[in-house]
Amino acid sequence: MSKVNWQNYACNGFYDELLAGPGQPRDVSRMLCEYLAQLDARELADHKTAVDVAIQMMGITFTVYTEGSMIDRAWPFDIVPRIIPLDEWQRTSAGLKQRVQALNMFIDDLYHDQKIVKDGVFPAEVLAQSVNFRPQCVGITPPHRVWAHICGSDLVRDKDGTLYVLEDNLRVPSGVSYMLENRNVTKRVLPELFATGRIQPVDDYTDQLYDMLASMSPRPGDDPQIVVLTPGIYNSAYFEHSYLAQQMGVELVEGSDLVVGEDDCVYMRTVDGLQRVDVIYRRIDDMFLDPEAFNPDSMLGVPGLMRAWRSGKVALANAPGAGVADDKVVYAFVPEIIRYYLDQEPLLPNVPSYLCMFEDDRKYVLDNLDKLVVKPANESGGYGMLIGPHSTKKERKIFADLINANPRNYMAQPTLSLSTAPTLCDEGMEPRHVDLRPFILSGGQSTYVTMGGLTRVAMTKGSLVVNSSQGGGSKDTWIVDTKRG
């Protein structure tokens, strides 16, 4: 590892988040770039070691499933933050609020009158073949008519600097604990850079989350009993479940800790007897939530929970059935969904998309598999995708057969030139591709967007895969007020 010389930093034709070109820091990142350039090789190595020690001491881990076994790994973190100007983030935040508001109206409509289908804006066949539409939720009206209380939207920047929404995660979005811990680690290692007050704080998230959950309580006059429902210690996101429960000061429970009474209320088993629960922040997928309503073999859920929710005796976040909008085919219709419900133009653009269910789109996709990214409608974590430019002829043949067998389940997008950010590697400071997952909280009265989000980075040179389960890492995300100081 050598001393940082920004004159030798090559952006390679991509938009870089910190530099406009070799030796040309952007205004928002000038202070950071100058600071890093002052450090010699030993100091850089010491900072990297300090990060590794802090992560070990703080117990920040994630679980990877591989070859039938589970491995607990230390959270992969890069010391160099990603920086976004505050004025740009304010525009982005407004676009995210608009998007989630429209998506919640869309979900509520699908489980009630389905006006958007009747008006011909959203195809009936897309809904009919949705694997995440839950008939058990038809006619239910959750508090404030909000279904997706916590959303994690993935943003990517193309080579012209445009920020696109890549997908919306509305079922059980994860990663916010790592956003918060990334900031804690960075403050330990680079404390002097926070002295200016220009870097916006992120530590109010758990207070905002608690307040949002409390606003859903069916007993608004009382101090609500809130719990986080986890599948258990073997879940890959268990660190986050326990972290959020601890930070909010609420109980972390498993399905066996809860019981639904004859009065349709949910109770928690305690040493002092049963205690009523008002709000459940559930981190269990729909199909395992209630064996009476969904998968009868589920050992993770709570029998009768859907009955309690339907009767209004308990609130669930996110609501079962919210995943109907968490579908990469539905994603392509979000601009029209915004226009339909809000009568507004989208503030944030979608990535151009081709839906294989439409004949012309399907023909284009099959003819250009070597140039496109092909995604199944309902996979997550970067699994089940074909990245055309990096694929083999055999892989493209397999995907062509999959698309022809089930066109509704596949969509494609052009291969974006994802932006890069300087990343401290064994060879020195090098560009690596990044994306960003901000988190949006939707309650009854207001919508809250995190100040930045979880920046994920592809640690392998040239790779576009940022998922931690597939070798990706993360960075702290700084939203910087350029008008201050």
Side-chain angles (χ1 to χ4, degrees), residues 153-460:
S153 291
D154 292 343
L155 307 179
V156 293
R157 199 192 297 275
D158 202 5
K159 61 183 176 184
D160 64 356
T162 301
L163 207 57
Y164 291 94
V165 180
L166 185 63
E167 63 182 49
D168 305 289
N169 298 281
L170 302 165
R171 283 175 281 184
V172 191
S174 64
V176 75
S177 61
Y178 300 112
M179 175 196 83
L180 298 170
E181 289 289 56
N182 284 354
R183 176 58 55 88
N184 291 332
V185 171
T186 308
K187 279 185 170 180
R188 286 190 181 200
V189 178
L190 303 173
E192 55 272 51
L193 294 178
F194 288 85
T196 64
R198 298 171 67 201
I199 303 167
Q200 303 301 295
V202 299
D203 53 7
D204 66 335
Y205 176 81
T206 49
D207 290 339
Q208 295 281 351
L209 176 61
Y210 180 91
D211 290 345
M212 184 274 292
L213 293 171
S215 75
M216 300 163 55
S217 174
R219 299 186 294 170
D222 298 325
D223 189 23
Q225 178 67 252
I226 301 170
V227 299
V228 176
L229 176 60
T230 176
I233 60 173
Y234 298 112
N235 185 267
S236 61
Y238 182 75
F239 169 83
E240 176 155 302
H241 307 165
S242 58
Y243 177 89
L244 292 175
Q246 188 269 332
Q247 291 295 311
M248 287 193 290
V250 304
E251 296 292 340
L252 178 68
V253 300
E254 296 184 26
S256 58
D257 297 319
L258 302 178
V259 61
V260 178
E262 293 183 1
D263 56 359
D264 286 345
C265 292
V266 179
Y267 296 91
M268 175 173 55
R269 306 178 199 271
T270 75
V271 292
D272 297 319
L274 296 178
Q275 186 173 350
R276 183 173 171 183
V277 173
D278 298 300
V279 183
I280 300 174
Y281 177 19
R282 55 102 179 189
R283 298 299 296 257
I284 295 177
D285 289 340
D286 287 358
M287 295 308 292
F288 299 96
L289 201 52
D290 179 355
E292 288 184 7
F294 298 115
N295 184 346
D297 297 324
S298 172
M299 302 295 290
L300 302 176
V302 184
L305 185 58
M306 284 294 290
R307 177 164 37 90
W309 180 56
R310 178 182 285 275
S311 64
K313 299 292 183 68
V314 72
L316 297 177
N318 284 352
V324 69
D326 186 346
D327 177 314
K328 292 176 179 63
V329 173
V330 172
Y331 159 90
F333 293 93
V334 172
E336 288 305 317
I337 289 171
I338 291 171
R339 295 183 184 103
Y340 180 79
Y341 291 109
L342 302 180
D343 195 23
Q344 299 171 3
E345 284 300 307
L347 299 176
L348 292 175
N350 265 22
V351 177
S353 301
Y354 304 95
L355 303 184
C356 294
M357 61 182 289
F358 298 136
E359 186 175 348
D360 288 347
D361 282 14
R362 182 167 66 253
K363 184 177 186 308
Y364 177 82
V365 170
L366 292 172
D367 290 344
N368 293 276
L369 283 174
D370 59 330
K371 304 179 185 71
L372 299 171
V373 175
V374 181
K375 302 177 182 180
N378 293 290
E379 289 287 345
S380 60
Y383 293 104
M385 288 176 23
L386 176 80
I387 301 179
H390 298 166
S391 65
T392 64
K393 191 172 182 179
K394 180 180 178 182
E395 289 169 336
R396 293 195 291 274
K397 173 65 167 63
I398 291 171
F399 264 79
D401 292 342
L402 289 170
I403 290 168
N404 282 319
N406 188 2
R408 158 63 175 89
N409 194 47
Y410 289 91
M411 58 92 76
Q413 296 169 329
T415 307
L416 295 180
S417 300
L418 291 192
S419 65
T420 60
T423 302
L424 192 58
C425 307
D426 292 339
E427 302 80 12
M429 199 71 73
E430 293 193 350
R432 292 290 186 268
H433 294 290
V434 294
D435 77 352
L436 178 64
R437 177 177 289 182
F439 295 86
I440 307 99
L441 301 179
S442 300
Q445 305 301 321
S446 61
T447 304
Y448 165 87
V449 180
T450 50
M451 195 60 71
L454 176 66
T455 289
R456 301 182 299 178
V457 54
M459 301 298 282
T460 303

Side-chain angles (χ1 to χ4, degrees), residues 122-174:
F122 186 76
E125 60 266 34
V126 175
L127 178 60
Q129 297 180 50
S130 170
V131 299
N132 290 311
F133 180 81
R134 306 291 179 219
Q136 300 90 332
C137 297
V138 170
I140 296 179
T141 302
H144 318 303
R145 303 190 86 94
V146 173
W147 293 74
H149 307 87
I150 302 106
C151 173
S153 291
D154 292 343
L155 307 179
V156 293
R157 199 192 297 275
D158 202 5
K159 61 183 176 184
D160 64 356
T162 301
L163 207 57
Y164 291 94
V165 180
L166 185 63
E167 63 182 49
D168 305 289
N169 298 281
L170 302 165
R171 283 175 281 184
V172 191
S174 64

Side-chain angles (χ1 to χ4, degrees), residues 88-113:
E88 181 188 10
W89 188 249
Q90 289 170 335
R91 296 191 299 272
T92 303
S93 178
L96 291 168
K97 289 179 180 179
Q98 176 198 57
R99 193 175 180 94
V100 172
Q101 180 187 0
L103 285 169
N104 270 305
M105 295 173 75
F106 171 69
I107 299 167
D108 194 61
D109 186 15
L110 292 187
Y111 288 113
H112 290 88
D113 298 331

